[in-house]
Amino acid sequence: FMDIDHQPINACVKPRIFVCVFTDGSGATKYAQRRANLRATWFPNTTHALQRIECMHGITTRFVVGSGTLTNDSEAVEAWHNELRMHDDFLKLDMLDTYLAMTGKTAKMFRHVMSLPQNYEYVVKVDDDMFLSLSHLAKAVEQWTEMKADYVGCMTNPGTIFRTKGEDGNRAFKRCN
């Protein structure tokens, strides 16, 4: 790896955080524009930038998409394939990418990340209409580590979730309505 001045980076930190940006892989133009906006702001916009963030900060970032397109618009499909060729920042899951398949997409994404040899400590899931500060993410992870947080986020079901000790002594979650 090389740093920003194209000097060799001698040692990489241990991969720690996998940031999954959920976006639509259907070939729709509005989602391509969202990805372009993210690459112009906080998301690493080149393969070199991706590698630098991974090596120096232990943060892997990928756009998460399904592998199939659902449009008959040949120009949109061609633009989608060009984007895939141009950018090395996608995690493609073997599934159709539809809104109704979002729960399955999330489960597949977690299974995929957990199967990687890097043993990431944290998986961060955001949508393509969100801004994430990668520089602040490492600080947040330190807080999560101190808190021994197993989950940080928003649950859409009503009720509060509390961490408790399970009967087997392991941490468990309890939903309180």
Side-chain angles (χ1 to χ4, degrees), residues 78-149:
E78 181 61 29
W80 169 236
H81 290 293
N82 286 337
E83 183 181 0
L84 287 172
R85 282 189 293 275
M86 194 179 334
H87 296 281
D88 190 26
D89 56 8
F90 288 96
L91 167 58
K92 287 178 66 178
L93 302 173
D94 185 24
M95 63 180 297
L96 284 178
D97 209 343
T98 66
Y99 185 77
L100 293 176
M102 188 68 67
T103 302
K105 183 176 179 179
T106 302
K108 275 188 179 238
M109 176 271 301
F110 276 114
R111 279 193 299 273
H112 177 83
V113 173
M114 299 311 294
S115 73
L116 296 172
Q118 289 87 347
N119 293 321
Y120 291 95
E121 294 176 52
Y122 293 94
V123 178
V124 177
K125 177 194 172 285
V126 297
D127 291 328
D128 62 1
D129 59 354
M130 298 177 69
F131 179 88
L132 180 66
S133 172
L134 293 178
S135 63
H136 289 92
L137 181 59
K139 291 176 184 170
V141 163
E142 293 305 323
Q143 292 175 336
W144 301 340
T145 301
E146 287 177 23
M147 294 168 41
K148 296 182 170 77

Side-chain angles (χ1 to χ4, degrees), residues 40-53:
T41 56
W42 67 268
F43 195 96
N45 60 358
T46 64
T47 300
H48 174 75
L50 279 172
Q51 291 172 342
R52 184 172 187 276
I53 296 287

Side-chain angles (χ1 to χ4, degrees), residues 15-68:
R16 189 160 190 214
I17 307 164
F18 197 111
V19 177
C20 300
V21 181
F22 270 44
T23 187
D24 189 294
S26 68
T29 305
K30 79 174 188 178
Y31 297 104
Q33 186 59 52
R34 286 183 180 183
R35 290 186 297 275
N37 291 341
L38 293 184
R39 289 186 189 108
T41 56
W42 67 268
F43 195 96
N45 60 358
T46 64
T47 300
H48 174 75
L50 279 172
Q51 291 172 342
R52 184 172 187 276
I53 296 287
E54 289 175 12
C55 186
M56 296 188 74
H57 303 287
I59 300 173
T60 300
T61 54
R62 295 291 184 272
F63 289 109
V64 180
V65 296
S67 60

